Amino acid sequence: TGPIPTEIGQLKELSALVLNGNSLAGPIPTDLPALKKLFLSSNRISGTIPSAIGGLVRLERLHLANNRINGTVPDDLLFLTRLTELNLSGIVGPHCFAESSCDYTYYTD
């Protein structure tokens, strides 16, 4: 429970962060340049998906389902060319790309 510690950003070589179902709150961490897998589903993550998440260029799998996220999904996610899994199902609020559908899970090979 509680916020994701800001000190996690000091782990510059961290490639996977899996914290599903821990009642974590606060913002989504974006200062992890080596991250390939970010699983934060079923927590209390709040606020918007930060546009800085588009800077996580190695990210392959992003799961943010069932949180308290609001606002729109930033177009910066489109810069994540290695992304093969995106799960935004069950998040609160209008959470679509500017011209796309909402509440979805995306997987590709």
Side-chain angles (χ1 to χ4, degrees), residues 18-104:
V18 179
L19 297 172
N20 294 332
N22 285 291
S23 298
L24 297 171
I28 299 166
T30 58
D31 52 354
L32 299 162
L35 209 59
K36 292 182 179 181
K37 179 167 54 171
L38 179 58
F39 286 9
L40 295 174
S41 293
S42 300
N43 282 292
R44 290 187 230 160
I45 304 295
S46 60
T48 60
I49 298 174
S51 60
I53 207 162
L56 300 176
V57 296
R58 296 182 185 176
L59 202 59
E60 298 170 359
R61 301 169 71 189
L62 176 61
H63 291 218
L64 300 174
N66 302 312
N67 277 291
R68 297 176 180 173
I69 296 170
N70 56 41
T72 59
V73 174
D75 289 336
D76 299 79
L77 278 182
L78 299 173
F79 297 121
L80 300 176
T81 58
R82 296 182 184 183
L83 196 66
T84 59
E85 291 182 23
L86 175 63
N87 187 344
L88 302 177
S89 60
I91 62 175
V92 175
H95 48 273
C96 17
F97 290 98
E99 298 179 20
S100 183
S101 63
C102 300
D103 200 23
Y104 59 92

